[in-house]
Amino acid sequence: MTRVWKWNRPVTVREVLEDLQQERSIAYTTVMTVLDNLHQKGWVRREAEGRAYRYEAVSTRPAYAAALMNEAWSQSDNPAAALVAFFGMMSEEQRQALSDAVRIVQGPGSAETAAESGVESPDESSGPSDARGDENPAAARDGAGR
């Protein structure tokens, strides 16, 4: 998934293969199988182009991360304690990002403060999947991160 998100456009198996081969040796069929598995799980959509497919992420990376966090949080028998523990693990930079996000969610007037620190509100996101609203939080449940 990292490679598909990296380009933020439909990609072919060959493009992903060539990118991965800059770091390690990997077979075409391995990349093809992984992309097919991601398609079967609903994480990417594909469109035929000649004899090949172009694969595109169904959701953005931030939406995927949010779905993972939501899934983990909803599994807790004590959500408040889970949040306290999670916040306790955060760096100062992460706590500031959380504070900015809360201001965005709280509504008008608070988004300007967050925008000054570079945080986008969900409706300002530039990812193509956001515009279509095709996010698939259920896909995040697998946790494979591919």
Side-chain angles (χ1 to χ4, degrees):
M1 282 305 302
T2 299
R3 304 303 165 139
V4 176
W5 283 320
K6 175 182 166 183
W7 283 305
N8 198 26
R9 64 169 175 79
V11 296
T12 64
V13 171
R14 176 78 49 206
E15 289 172 316
V16 175
L17 174 72
E18 289 172 358
D19 191 41
L20 287 169
Q21 285 181 332
Q22 293 176 19
E23 298 171 13
R24 62 190 164 116
S25 178
I26 189 167
Y28 180 93
T29 54
T30 301
V31 177
M32 183 175 62
T33 299
V34 169
L35 285 169
D36 185 60
N37 289 341
L38 291 171
H39 177 258
Q40 297 295 325
K41 291 180 180 185
W43 294 2
V44 296
R45 70 175 60 83
R46 69 184 179 193
E47 190 171 312
E49 184 176 283
R51 292 178 42 206
Y53 287 107
R54 284 204 172 269
Y55 294 86
E56 182 178 20
V58 169
S59 70
T60 63
R61 189 174 202 148
Y64 174 78
L68 284 176
M69 290 186 288
N70 187 55
E71 180 70 20
W73 186 50
S74 68
Q75 297 290 324
S76 174
D77 60 348
N78 187 340
L83 284 175
V84 169
F86 181 62
F87 297 157
M89 295 177 196
M90 291 180 156
S91 68
E92 183 56 39
E93 183 178 289
Q94 290 170 321
R95 280 192 287 277
Q96 182 60 52
L98 173 64
S99 179
D100 293 342
V102 168
R103 280 192 291 273
I104 289 170
V105 171
Q106 287 176 339
S110 58
E112 290 84 358
T113 306
E116 291 171 4
S117 59
V119 175
E120 288 183 348
S121 66
D123 56 348
E124 293 172 351
S125 178
S126 59
S129 297
D130 288 344
R132 287 188 300 271
D134 292 341
E135 294 164 2
N136 186 0
R141 291 189 192 117
D142 183 286
R146 285 182 255 177

